[in-house]
Amino acid sequence: MTPLAENPGFAVVAAVIGLGSMGLGMARSLKRAGLDVVGYDITPAAVDRFVAEGGRGAATPAEAAQNADIVVSVVVNGAQTETVLFGPQGAADTMKPGAVFISSATMDPAVARDLAARTEALGLLYLDAPISGGAAKAALGELTIMASGSGRAFDAARPALNAMAGKVYELGDAAGTGAAFKMMNQLLAGVHIAAACEAISFAAKQGLDLDKVYEVITASAGNSWMFENRMPHVLAGDYTPLSSIEIFVKDLGIVQDMARSERYPAPLSAAALQMYLAAAGAGMGRDDDSSLARLYAQLSGTQLPGSAKEPQSR
C-alpha cells in the first residue's frame, strides 16, 4: 500500500470506503472522471488492487477522509456505516468542515435520519444516496442513485454523483427518503427473484427444456428484469455470487421491520424472506441469490443444470 499524501493537482479529492464489487467500480468511475481518489477497505488486498491501478490507498477510514472533499461509503448496512463514520479511526474524526459524506448502504430510513443528524451536528454534510444497478453499472459510472439531503449536500456531492451515476433521483431535502425508496426497490427485487426461481424450478419439475422456457418467458408478459438477469445463472449451474442470499435476508428483514412498525401487511415479501432464510440455513448464504432455485429443487426432488441427479417424485 502506498502512503497517503496530498495531491494538489486535482480540484476534488474523494475517498471511497469499501472497495468490493460495487465500491471498486465506483472508485474507478471517480478516478476516470478526474477526481483524486483514495480508497479504503477492511481487506488490505482490495486496497492494494486499487493502488495497483493508480489510485491511492489508506489504512483506515479516518486516513482516507483526512483531505477529502467527498467521502463515499459503500458498505453493507447501517451498522457498518456507523462504524465508518463514528467508530475507532472513523471518517467523522478527520473530515473537514463542509465536506460531504455520501452514504450508499441499504438501511432502515430511521437509521439514515439518525446518522445524518449526528454527522451534520459536526459541521459536515450528509447525503442519503443508496444505489442500484449492480457491479457492471458501477464500473461504467451508470448507477441509479436514489438521493435525499440538503441542497448544500447535493451541491458538494455533485462531482461524485456525475461520475458514478447514469441517473440521480433527487428525492427530497431530508435524509431517510432515499433509504425508503431503496427499500421499495429491494422489496420488489427480492420478491421477483424468489418468483423467478420458483418458476424455473417448477418448469424443471415439469420436464421442460429450461433454455426454451427462458426464451419464451423473456419474450412474454411474465418476464421481469430479475428473471432475465438471474435465470442465466441457473441455466449455467453457476452460483458464483454477484448478489448473495444474505443480502436479501438483510434487506427483506428491514422491509418487515418497517412494515411491522407501520402496522402494514407485507405478506409477499414475508414469504420471500422465509425462502432466503431457508437457503441461508441450507448453507447457501454466501452464494448468488439465484440459489433459491437450488433450494426449490432440493425441496421437490428436481434436477437443475449442474446439479447431481436427485430422485424425482410426483
Side-chain angles (χ1 to χ4, degrees):
M1 183 187 301
T2 58
L4 184 63
E6 294 272 8
N7 193 339
F10 290 85
V12 178
V13 179
V16 178
I17 312 297
L19 295 171
S21 59
M22 297 292 288
L24 180 61
M26 293 161 74
R28 287 168 171 165
S29 294
L30 292 168
K31 188 171 176 294
R32 190 167 58 245
L35 282 72
D36 178 16
V37 186
V38 185
Y40 166 76
D41 194 275
I42 195 170
T43 303
V47 181
D48 292 341
R49 177 174 56 181
F50 183 59
V51 169
E53 297 177 359
R56 295 192 290 136
T60 66
E63 186 181 352
Q66 187 169 5
N67 299 304
D69 303 291
I70 301 168
V71 177
V72 184
S73 177
V74 198
V75 294
V76 173
N77 54 29
Q80 289 186 7
T81 304
E82 182 175 26
T83 298
V84 165
L85 270 168
F86 303 114
Q89 293 293 301
D93 289 340
T94 57
M95 289 176 67
K96 58 189 179 183
V100 61
F101 184 87
I102 301 177
S103 173
S104 295
T106 301
M107 66 183 74
D108 188 305
V111 174
R113 288 190 289 271
D114 176 69
L115 291 173
R118 292 164 63 188
T119 302
E120 290 165 354
L122 299 174
L124 306 171
L125 301 172
Y126 186 101
L127 194 68
D128 175 22
I131 54 181
S132 183
K137 290 291 183 71
L140 293 171
E142 296 178 357
L143 289 169
T144 296
I145 298 182
M146 297 161 256
S148 63
S150 69
R152 289 180 62 210
F154 272 107
D155 289 344
R158 194 71 61 192
L161 298 177
N162 289 343
M164 298 186 299
K167 292 182 180 179
V168 178
Y169 290 99
E170 299 187 18
L171 302 171
D173 59 5
T177 305
F181 270 83
K182 178 61 184 291
M183 293 320 306
M184 299 309 105
N185 181 78
Q186 294 307 93
L187 186 161
L188 290 166
V191 170
H192 287 174
I193 292 168
C197 290
E198 183 174 309
I200 202 74
S201 298
F202 193 29
K205 185 71 172 179
Q206 299 300 307
L208 303 181
D209 179 333
L210 297 189
D211 289 320
K212 185 61 68 174
V213 168
Y214 181 80
E215 179 184 344
V216 170
I217 295 301
T218 54
S220 302
N223 190 34
S224 67
W225 190 93
M226 285 301 187
F227 185 96
E228 192 163 346
N229 181 265
R230 298 300 204 269
M231 292 310 95
H233 306 178
V234 179
L235 299 181
D238 182 1
Y239 299 94
T240 302
L242 300 180
S243 175
S244 73
I245 289 287
E246 289 289 359
I247 291 293
F248 282 101
V249 170
K250 170 182 68 75
D251 290 355
L252 292 183
I254 294 172
V255 168
Q256 289 301 305
D257 289 344
M258 292 169 62
R260 183 166 54 251
S261 70
E262 297 285 348
R263 299 298 185 264
Y264 182 85
L268 296 181
S269 59
L273 174 59
Q274 292 303 309
M275 295 304 294
Y276 290 105
L277 284 167
M284 304 177 196
R286 295 183 179 276
D287 294 340
D288 192 75
D289 50 34
S290 60
S291 291
L292 279 193
R294 288 193 291 167
L295 181 67
Y296 275 107
Q298 289 179 9
L299 292 172
S300 61
T302 301
Q303 185 180 6
L304 291 174
S307 64
K309 186 170 180 60
E310 298 177 2
Q312 303 290 309
S313 60
R314 293 274 183 186

